[in-house]
Amino acid sequence: MAQRRMFSNRITNSAKFLKMPLSSQALYFHLGLHADDDGVVEAFTIMRQVGAVEDDLRILAAKEFVVVLNKDLVTYITDWNENNRIRADRKVDSIYKNMLLKILPEAEVINPKPRADTGKPTGRPLDNKWTAQVRLGKDRLGKDSKTYSPAKAEPRLPYKEIVDYLNEKAGTSYRTATKKTQTLIKARFNEKFSLDDFKRVIDNKVAEWKNDTAMNKFLRPETLFGTKFESYLNQNVKQNNMPTGKEWF
């Protein structure tokens, strides 16, 4: 695999690219730096190395900068040939070439030619260094031929609906995209609570705290959706019976 990679300004300076979060932009560059000569890379390995999350990869896939080929997050960079012009007599085929062409038959894959210096067919590098992708082993080639869909792997959670409902009822302006808010909501869904449960908790605490100047500041995601969520869900609220204690801690 080549030690140098390039990126096209037409792609990385486009509005479509620059409108993405910086974390997704950074992941794109790291994927490109580690991709093999066919533009294929093990995204999971790179994400673990650089601290990226699956949402960063989902955004790249949604914007069509990459295509995720299987559930192991083997990924193809769609503009690979614009970013990198690789000589056919230096090109090393990806170990995922067959999978790539099976899933994306329209992918522009360069066919290797004999090396100009040796006259021998192009194969693995002369120093016996394999491409980065060989770590998974040949026994996994073609194991998963269906295109991976992040949406199928992890159902979308109603972050927006929950936060919008809170803002409407409490008169607040919290943002859906806040990482801490999403983490709290996801944690409660992992405990099998539902969207209706979130709305009931919001209704309960708005009825109890909204007109209490000492408590209405706690009508916020970090309080409502935290570890006392279940107790808030099951409490019986009396409109004019405002608490004076600190049970929300």
Side-chain angles (χ1 to χ4, degrees):
M1 184 180 72
Q3 299 301 308
R4 298 175 182 173
R5 295 303 189 199
M6 302 186 72
F7 299 90
S8 169
N9 280 335
R10 188 191 69 82
I11 296 168
T12 58
N13 286 344
S14 67
K16 179 181 175 182
F17 186 86
L18 296 174
K19 286 181 179 179
M20 293 191 301
L22 292 177
S23 56
S24 294
Q25 296 181 37
L27 178 60
Y28 180 82
F29 288 116
H30 282 287
L31 294 177
L33 288 171
H34 291 84
D36 62 26
D37 289 351
D38 285 317
V40 181
V41 59
E42 292 174 18
F44 179 78
T45 302
I46 306 306
M47 289 161 62
R48 291 294 294 270
Q49 290 175 351
V50 304
V53 297
E54 280 200 23
D55 280 345
D56 296 323
L57 185 62
R58 287 192 182 95
I59 292 172
L60 289 175
K63 297 290 187 180
E64 299 181 343
F65 287 110
V66 302
V67 174
V68 185
L69 302 178
N70 67 5
K71 67 180 182 180
D72 292 321
L73 304 189
V74 174
T75 300
Y76 171 64
I77 300 172
T78 55
D79 294 305
W80 179 252
N81 287 325
E82 179 168 345
N83 287 335
N84 293 275
R85 300 290 183 181
I86 298 174
R87 286 174 49 177
D89 67 338
R90 291 293 188 268
K91 191 249 184 179
V92 178
D93 278 346
S94 170
I95 65 169
Y96 295 114
K97 181 179 178 179
N98 291 338
M99 179 197 299
L100 171 63
L101 292 177
K102 185 175 182 179
I103 297 173
L104 296 173
E106 71 279 8
E108 297 181 11
V109 175
I110 298 174
N111 292 318
K113 295 181 179 179
R115 292 176 62 99
D117 55 349
T118 65
K120 296 180 180 180
T122 304
R124 295 298 171 188
L126 296 179
D127 58 358
N128 293 322
K129 292 183 178 179
W130 292 70
T131 64
Q133 282 66 40
V134 79
R135 291 188 301 272
L136 287 180
K138 290 184 178 180
D139 58 326
R140 295 178 63 177
L141 294 182
K143 181 178 178 182
D144 301 291
S145 59
K146 294 183 179 179
T147 302
Y148 172 78
S149 172
K152 292 181 180 178
E154 184 176 325
R156 291 185 179 276
L157 299 180
Y159 299 119
K160 186 176 189 306
E161 188 170 351
I162 291 170
V163 175
D164 284 352
Y165 189 83
L166 171 60
N167 289 335
E168 177 187 349
K169 296 296 182 178
T172 50
S173 301
Y174 291 105
R175 296 187 299 170
T176 302
T178 301
K179 195 67 177 178
K180 185 173 183 180
T181 298
Q182 291 189 2
T183 298
L184 290 170
I185 292 174
K186 183 176 181 180
R188 304 292 78 80
F189 271 96
N190 287 342
E191 295 170 352
K192 308 303 181 184
F193 290 107
S194 67
L195 174 60
D196 287 340
D197 293 333
F198 277 87
K199 290 184 176 181
R200 182 171 178 179
V201 165
I202 292 170
D203 289 340
N204 285 350
K205 304 315 289 184
V206 166
E208 184 179 3
W209 289 347
K210 187 173 183 180
N211 296 319
D212 185 334
T213 56
M215 300 300 292
N216 59 18
K217 62 184 177 181
F218 298 111
L219 292 172
R220 59 190 183 184
E222 61 190 277
T223 299
L224 300 182
F225 308 150
T227 56
K228 292 184 71 71
F229 184 88
E230 187 170 12
S231 64
Y232 294 156
L233 176 65
N234 289 287
Q235 75 176 92
N236 293 319
V237 178
K238 295 181 180 180
Q239 291 281 346
N240 296 319
N241 186 19
M242 301 298 178
T244 57
K246 295 183 178 181
E247 74 282 359
W248 44 270
F249 279 115

